[in-house]
Amino acid sequence: MFVKICGLREPLTVDAAVQSGADAVGFVFAPGSPRTVDAATVRQLVQSVPDGIQTVGVFRRQPIEEVLATAHLAGVNTVQLHGGEPLDDFDRLRAEGFGTIRALSIDEYAHEARTAPEGLLAHRLLIDAPIPGAGEPFNPAALDAHPPQGDWLLAGGLTPENVAELIAAVSPAGVDVSSGVESTRGQKDVSLIRAFLAAARGV
Ligand SMILES: O=C(O)c1ccccc1N[C@@H]1O[C@H](COP(=O)(O)O)[C@@H](O)[C@H]1O
C-alpha cells in the first residue's frame, strides 16, 4: 500500500513520515491553506528525504508557469495538481522531468468517468473529497458506478481509525492524508503519522 503524508512544513514531521515508512511526502504550495509553505523552506526539507521517496509539490488552480518555477525551485520530484488542469499541463510537467499526480474530486471523477473515461488512465489519479485538505471523507459508494482502474490513490478525510476500512471498501493502490494526521488544523502530529502508516499497512 503506497502511503503519502501531505501538508508537511517542518523537519520533525518530515522525518517522522520517512522513518515510519511513507512512500511520499507532500508540500502544499496552493495559496490559502493552513499548510501552505514556500519553495525555499521545502528545498531545505527535501534534502533530508532519501532517494526513492517521492517529494510532492501540491498546487491548486495556479498557472502552469508558476507551478513549474516553484517545483524547480523547491526541488520536489513530483507535482500534484488539484484544479481540473488540462492534460497538457501534465505532459509539460513530465517533459520537464516531474512525476505527476492528477487529483480530481469525487464529483469531477464521476463526471469524467461518464463522459471521457479514456483520459482517466493517462496520469496517476488521486480521487479526493469535494474540498481538498478539509478532512472530510466522501461516500465510497460514489465509486460503485465507475470503479477506478490502475494504480489510483484515495484521499479525503482519511484517519488512522478509518483508513483500513476504506482501503477494504474501494481497493486503492495508495492513500494520501493531511488533516487526519494533525492535532489541530495545520499542525502535524508525529504519533498520528505513525498510527496512520501502521493502520494503512495493517500492522
Ligand atoms: O492540504 C491542503 O490544505 C490542500 C490544499 C489545496 C489542495 C490540496 C490540499 N491537500 C490535499 O487534500 C487531500 C486530502 O486532504 P485531507 O486528508 O482530507 O485533509 C490530499 O490529497 C492532500 O494532498
Side-chain angles (χ1 to χ4, degrees):
M1 179 57 51
F2 178 99
V3 179
K4 171 171 167 266
I5 306 292
C6 199
L8 299 166
R9 291 185 296 157
E10 52 195 17
L12 182 73
T13 50
V14 172
D15 289 348
V18 168
Q19 297 304 326
S20 306
D23 300 287
V25 287
F27 308 98
V28 175
F29 295 115
S33 165
R35 307 164 186 116
T36 306
V37 66
D38 62 84
T41 300
V42 174
R43 190 160 193 90
Q44 294 290 322
L45 292 173
V46 298
Q47 280 172 13
S48 68
V49 177
D51 289 348
I53 295 182
Q54 286 185 16
T55 53
V56 184
V58 177
F59 298 83
R60 187 175 193 221
R61 296 181 184 154
Q62 290 153 272
I64 188 63
E65 298 302 339
E66 178 186 322
V67 170
L68 284 163
T70 304
H72 279 301
L73 190 58
V76 294
N77 56 37
T78 302
V79 170
Q80 175 174 322
L81 299 182
H82 269 261
E85 286 81 0
L87 293 176
D88 285 356
D89 285 3
F90 294 88
D91 295 335
R92 181 93 186 271
L93 286 160
R94 290 248 185 110
E96 297 212 17
F98 296 104
T100 54
I101 299 174
R102 183 178 180 227
L104 296 177
S105 73
I106 180 60
D107 301 330
E108 290 167 332
Y109 171 77
H111 178 262
E112 197 163 322
R114 279 195 309 273
T115 58
E118 61 285 350
L120 292 172
L121 286 174
H123 300 279
R124 187 168 211 191
L125 200 63
L126 182 151
I127 303 178
D128 193 5
I131 305 172
E136 291 169 10
F138 64 88
N139 184 348
L143 293 170
D144 288 352
H146 303 282
Q149 310 294 312
D151 63 343
W152 67 283
L153 308 178
L154 174 69
L158 301 178
T159 67
E161 289 74 33
N162 70 14
V163 66
E165 188 182 341
L166 286 163
I167 288 170
V170 298
S171 304
V175 289
D176 183 13
V177 64
S178 193
S179 305
V181 292
E182 292 177 346
S183 50
T184 58
R185 190 158 164 73
Q187 189 59 53
K188 290 289 178 292
D189 182 297
V190 166
S191 58
L192 290 174
I193 290 172
R194 290 194 190 114
F196 186 87
L197 263 295
R201 300 255 166 77
V203 293

